[in-house]
Amino acid sequence: MAGTDKQQDMLAEGPAIILVEPQLGENIGMVARAMANFGLGELRLVSPRDGWPNEKARAAASRADHVIDAAVMFDDTAGAIADLNFVYATTARPRDNFKPVRGPVEAAGELRTRFAAGQKTGILFGRERWGLTNEEVALADEIVTFPVNPAFASLNIAQAVLLMSYEWMKTGDQAVRPVESRPEPAAKQHVESLVAYLDRVLDERGYFRTEAKKPKMIENLRTLVTRPGFTVEELAVLRGVLTSLEKFSPRKPRGSGAPDAG
C-alpha cells in the first residue's frame, strides 16, 4: 500500500504534459518514460494518430505504466487545456504573436511558483514533424523555446519533454517565489467563452473586414484577453460591460465596423 500511495502522490505532481496529435506510439511511450524519470505523471493526448490505448507506447515507456494508464485523450487542444489556469506552448522559435518568450529554466520556475499557489498548469508540445500551429500557440499564455544550435535546431518530442521535466524537477530544491499578490487566473474554458462571445458580436457588427483575415484577427483578440491573466471575476466584469455596450450597438454588414486590422 505504501508504494501505491507514493505513486499517487507523483501522479498529482506538477504540470500536465499535453501532446498535440502525436504520430507514433513509441514517441508517446518515451515521453511517458521521461515524465516518470522526473516526477511528472499527468499526460494528455490530443487525437493521437494511431489511437489510444497503444501497446507500442506501453512497451516504449519502459515500466512507466502509471503514466500510460492515467493518460487522457481529447479531441482538440482547446478541450485539453480547458481546466488549466496557465499554459506554456513549446516552439522551436519565437512566434510573432506578442506573447512573452521564456527559456526552460525560467519557465520551470514560473510553473513551480504557480503549482505552489494551487494553480493547474500545463505544457503544450506539438507534432513530431511541424510542431504547433499559430492558432494552438495562441491558446497558451506564454511561449517556451530551447537554446539549441541554430544550425541543428530539431528536437524530437521526447527530448523536449525530457528537457522541461528535468528543469521542473530542479526547481523542487529551490525556494519558491512569493505568490500572495498574484490572483489565480481563470481556466482556459472561461477565456475561450469570452473569445467566442467577441467573435459573435464583432462579426454581427461588421468588425471583420474580410473572411480571409478573420482567423488572424481572432488570434490577436485571443492573445489580448489571455496575456493579462484575468481572473474569472474580471472576465465576468469585462463581459458584463461588453454585453451592456452590445445592446446599444447596431448590427452592420461585414467590413463596415472597424479599420483594417491587417
Side-chain angles (χ1 to χ4, degrees):
M1 290 296 293
T4 301
D5 292 341
K6 183 177 181 181
Q7 186 181 89
Q8 291 300 315
D9 289 343
M10 181 170 64
L11 286 172
E13 179 82 0
I17 299 297
I18 305 121
L19 307 184
V20 179
E21 297 183 1
Q23 295 173 301
L24 299 175
E26 293 89 341
N27 287 343
I28 299 173
M30 288 187 286
V31 164
R33 182 177 182 178
M35 292 170 61
N37 284 153
F38 298 103
L40 296 177
E42 187 177 357
L43 177 61
R44 303 184 181 191
L45 306 173
V46 178
S47 299
R49 185 190 67 181
D50 295 337
W52 194 259
N54 185 300
E55 287 307 311
K56 290 183 178 179
R58 185 177 297 277
S62 187
R63 297 190 301 278
D65 293 333
H66 58 288
V67 179
I68 294 295
D69 291 338
V72 180
M73 191 165 69
F74 295 84
D75 293 330
D76 55 49
T77 305
I81 66 172
D83 64 321
L84 303 180
N85 303 110
F86 185 86
V87 177
Y88 274 113
T90 60
T91 69
R93 61 192 183 282
R95 308 289 184 100
D96 181 23
N97 63 359
F98 315 111
K99 291 185 182 296
V101 180
R102 314 295 183 194
V105 174
E106 186 180 9
E110 181 68 19
L111 289 168
R112 179 68 69 173
T113 297
R114 291 179 180 274
F115 174 75
Q119 295 182 23
K120 298 184 70 174
T121 63
I123 313 172
L124 281 171
F125 294 86
R127 302 152 188 84
E128 288 93 329
R129 286 190 174 184
W130 46 277
L132 297 166
T133 65
N134 287 336
E135 291 77 12
E136 289 161 347
V137 172
L139 294 171
D141 295 277
E142 298 185 2
I143 290 170
V144 57
T145 191
F146 307 122
V148 294
N149 178 1
F152 195 77
S154 175
L155 281 179
N156 71 37
I157 192 170
Q159 289 174 324
V161 172
L162 180 73
L163 194 158
M164 285 303 302
S165 300
Y166 170 69
E167 294 298 343
W168 160 262
M169 184 170 231
K170 281 169 55 180
T171 64
D173 298 327
Q174 300 173 6
V176 177
R177 291 171 286 164
V179 295
E180 291 80 2
S181 62
R182 299 176 65 177
E184 180 175 298
K188 298 305 170 196
Q189 57 192 340
H190 300 294
V191 175
E192 285 304 301
S193 176
L194 179 60
V195 172
Y197 168 77
L198 288 170
D199 185 349
R200 178 181 64 81
V201 297
L202 290 174
D203 193 53
E204 290 174 350
R205 282 151 184 80
Y207 178 80
F208 303 109
R209 285 197 167 254
T210 65
E211 188 64 31
K213 293 183 178 179
K214 180 178 176 180
K216 180 61 178 177
M217 296 173 75
I218 287 291
E219 181 183 321
N220 290 341
L221 283 170
R222 180 177 284 109
T223 298
L224 184 67
V225 299
T226 299
R227 189 169 187 177
F230 289 124
T231 65
V232 172
E233 293 77 14
E234 289 169 338
L235 287 176
V237 170
L238 180 57
R239 184 156 183 166
V241 170
L242 294 172
T243 300
S244 179
L245 292 173
E246 179 191 3
K247 294 178 181 178
F248 300 97
S249 176
R251 299 183 182 186
K252 299 179 180 180
R254 179 181 299 278
S256 61
D260 194 337

